[in-house]
Amino acid sequence: MARIGYARVSTLDQDLTVQLAALKAAGCDIIRSEKVSGSSTIGRDELRTVLAFVRAGDTLVVTRVDRLARSIGDLQDIVRELRGKGAGLLATEQPIDTSTAAGKAFLDMLGVFAEFETNLRRERQAEGIAKAKAAGVYKRARTVDLEAVRRLAEEGVGASAIARRLGIGRASVYRVLKAAP
């Protein structure tokens, strides 16, 4: 009957310290953490590790439900997986304990709000991009002139020099050259 902690932040510049301390204070012996978006469970290796490791009688502990999932579908899938293994879910900052009816109901409500927040953020971002485009300040990513990169490479120009001449990144030059037939 272990308490297994899971902490997540969305970006590399965010800090996990507060979550890790809260999980440790909640009695978690094992704590896994990662810096990756919570909008999907895809690419969340530490979450997959925790879910594979959890056993009957264990409790997965998070600080808040939005650290676990940002969509109600993903949240329900995770809870179903835990329930199938005979494990529970507990949030330290919210009244979520899947061993109680009230905790299950509150979990579903918070999941809906987390998904709603993600959708609102996406809408605001789209509105901001539309406004920037209308004002003529939206900068699209530069397109790479594939033929110019290949031609310069054939002339013996190095990747750094090609990147400088075309105003693109050196990595873009290497991608074009690697994909060349």
Side-chain angles (χ1 to χ4, degrees):
M1 289 214 193
R3 282 189 165 211
I4 303 161
Y6 174 74
R8 181 194 62 77
V9 291
S10 297
T11 62
L12 295 175
D13 60 335
Q14 291 177 316
D15 189 26
L16 288 159
T17 308
V18 173
Q19 288 182 60
L20 297 174
L23 294 172
K24 196 170 200 78
C28 296
D29 299 319
I30 300 165
I31 300 173
R32 303 297 292 224
S33 64
E34 57 193 340
K35 294 185 175 192
V36 64
S37 172
S39 61
S40 170
T41 57
I42 297 169
R44 293 175 56 194
D45 298 334
E46 294 301 323
L47 176 61
R48 284 284 117 221
T49 298
V50 166
L51 293 175
F53 181 79
V54 73
R55 302 287 179 251
D58 290 350
T59 302
L60 175 59
V61 183
V62 294
T63 55
R64 295 185 324 268
V65 71
D66 66 341
R67 301 297 87 206
L68 192 57
R70 284 278 188 179
S71 85
I72 190 68
D74 285 344
L75 183 61
Q76 289 173 337
D77 289 345
I78 292 167
V79 171
R80 238 187 318 275
E81 186 172 343
L82 290 170
R83 192 175 299 131
K85 291 182 169 202
L89 174 65
L90 177 75
T92 63
E93 296 177 18
Q94 298 164 323
I96 295 175
D97 182 349
T98 58
S99 66
T100 69
K104 289 176 191 172
F106 199 70
L107 172 69
D108 286 342
M109 285 188 291
L110 286 176
V112 167
F113 287 118
E115 185 170 342
F116 177 63
E117 180 184 357
T118 298
N119 291 336
L120 283 177
R121 188 179 315 110
R122 195 171 292 131
E123 286 176 9
R124 285 192 304 267
Q125 181 182 16
E127 289 170 2
I129 290 171
K131 187 176 179 181
K133 283 181 178 178
V137 294
Y138 184 75
K139 303 275 194 260
R140 292 193 62 152
R142 288 187 182 143
T143 56
V144 177
D145 184 345
L146 305 176
E147 293 307 315
V149 171
R150 290 183 184 124
R151 181 176 32 76
L152 288 168
E154 287 172 5
E155 292 173 7
V157 179
S160 296
I162 293 172
R164 274 192 303 276
R165 284 187 194 180
L166 299 178
I168 59 176
R170 203 173 59 198
S172 296
V173 173
Y174 288 123
R175 272 193 297 276
V176 171
L177 297 177
K178 183 178 178 184

